[in-house]
Amino acid sequence: VRELQGDYDLWTDLDLSATRCIVVKREIDYTYCRSGERRRLVLTLVPLSTDMVVVHTDDVTERRRTERALRESEAKYRTIVDTAHEGIWAVDAANTTSYVNRHAAELLGYKPGEIVGRNLLEFVAPGQHHQGLRIAQRRPADDEDHYELCLRHRDGSDVWVSVAGSSSRVNGKVNF
């Protein structure tokens, strides 16, 4: 058993579950006898009495591979977006900022964390609020738009930007 389970000690967990009447859950690497294939398993030991423990095994190998691939893909995407020389700014239908990359934030003299959660219109130059509102109101789902807009830098100066905006659906919500 020890050869198959590596460092995992099933007997200790069986005893722990039975004597203390607690559910024990472990994620382990397991090698199948016939094929030698290694799999990632989640074992759940449920005590029914001091002399009977039910062991439930769930093979999570593919789930863990998929999660790892997703994390790697997200990391690559984040690197591309965060290091882009263009400003990337995402807002929801209420114009609340859900994401802004470093370049867009620095363009206005902020750090990304100082912009996320704030309304995009807070950063539109006062003389341009009517245009900012008009753009926000005419923005239908799945549409693209190009326009010039004057934003306000943290120091009060104007920053003119050329915007190529598009909308997308994420988790059933429209984002721009």
Side-chain angles (χ1 to χ4, degrees), residues 104-146:
E106 288 175 355
L107 185 69
L108 299 179
Y110 293 92
K111 294 180 181 176
E114 296 174 305
I115 295 176
V116 172
R118 292 173 63 182
N119 192 296
L120 171 66
L121 297 176
E122 292 179 43
F123 301 94
V124 175
Q128 294 286 305
H129 274 155
H130 66 282
Q131 182 181 358
L133 285 169
R134 192 175 73 246
I135 291 167
Q137 290 170 348
R138 74 173 192 218
R139 206 170 38 195
D142 304 321
D143 194 18
E144 293 186 16
D145 207 359
H146 295 85

Side-chain angles (χ1 to χ4, degrees), residues 47-166:
L48 299 180
S49 66
T50 56
D51 60 348
M52 187 178 300
V53 175
V54 174
V55 179
H56 172 77
T57 306
D58 187 20
D59 187 336
V60 295
T61 307
E62 296 307 318
R63 184 181 323 152
R64 295 299 182 256
R65 283 183 190 150
T66 301
E67 290 168 352
R68 184 177 59 246
L70 180 59
R71 280 192 307 274
E72 289 170 0
S73 175
E74 286 175 346
K76 287 177 188 175
Y77 165 78
R78 268 294 165 216
T79 299
I80 291 167
V81 171
D82 286 343
T83 59
H85 291 288
E86 290 79 24
I88 300 173
W89 195 314
V91 298
D92 62 16
N95 293 315
T96 302
T97 304
S98 56
Y99 175 80
V100 64
N101 74 345
R102 182 183 48 80
H103 187 77
E106 288 175 355
L107 185 69
L108 299 179
Y110 293 92
K111 294 180 181 176
E114 296 174 305
I115 295 176
V116 172
R118 292 173 63 182
N119 192 296
L120 171 66
L121 297 176
E122 292 179 43
F123 301 94
V124 175
Q128 294 286 305
H129 274 155
H130 66 282
Q131 182 181 358
L133 285 169
R134 192 175 73 246
I135 291 167
Q137 290 170 348
R138 74 173 192 218
R139 206 170 38 195
D142 304 321
D143 194 18
E144 293 186 16
D145 207 359
H146 295 85
Y147 47 89
E148 302 291 320
L149 186 63
C150 186
L151 300 177
R152 181 57 47 109
H153 190 278
R154 177 179 232 152
D155 67 10
S157 63
D158 290 344
V159 178
W160 281 93
V161 294
S162 177
V163 178
S166 65

Side-chain angles (χ1 to χ4, degrees), residues 7-79:
D7 293 333
Y8 177 62
D9 186 358
L10 176 62
W11 303 115
T12 299
D13 277 351
L14 283 167
D15 184 56
L16 178 66
S17 182
T19 58
R20 294 194 184 163
C21 291
I22 60 171
V23 174
V24 176
K25 193 170 193 172
R26 300 273 188 239
E27 189 165 322
I28 66 166
D29 288 318
Y30 184 83
T31 303
Y32 285 91
C33 296
R34 292 182 187 214
S35 67
E37 180 181 13
R38 293 198 52 88
R39 305 294 289 180
R40 190 73 174 169
L41 305 177
V42 173
L43 300 180
T44 307
L45 294 81
V46 181
L48 299 180
S49 66
T50 56
D51 60 348
M52 187 178 300
V53 175
V54 174
V55 179
H56 172 77
T57 306
D58 187 20
D59 187 336
V60 295
T61 307
E62 296 307 318
R63 184 181 323 152
R64 295 299 182 256
R65 283 183 190 150
T66 301
E67 290 168 352
R68 184 177 59 246
L70 180 59
R71 280 192 307 274
E72 289 170 0
S73 175
E74 286 175 346
K76 287 177 188 175
Y77 165 78
R78 268 294 165 216
T79 299

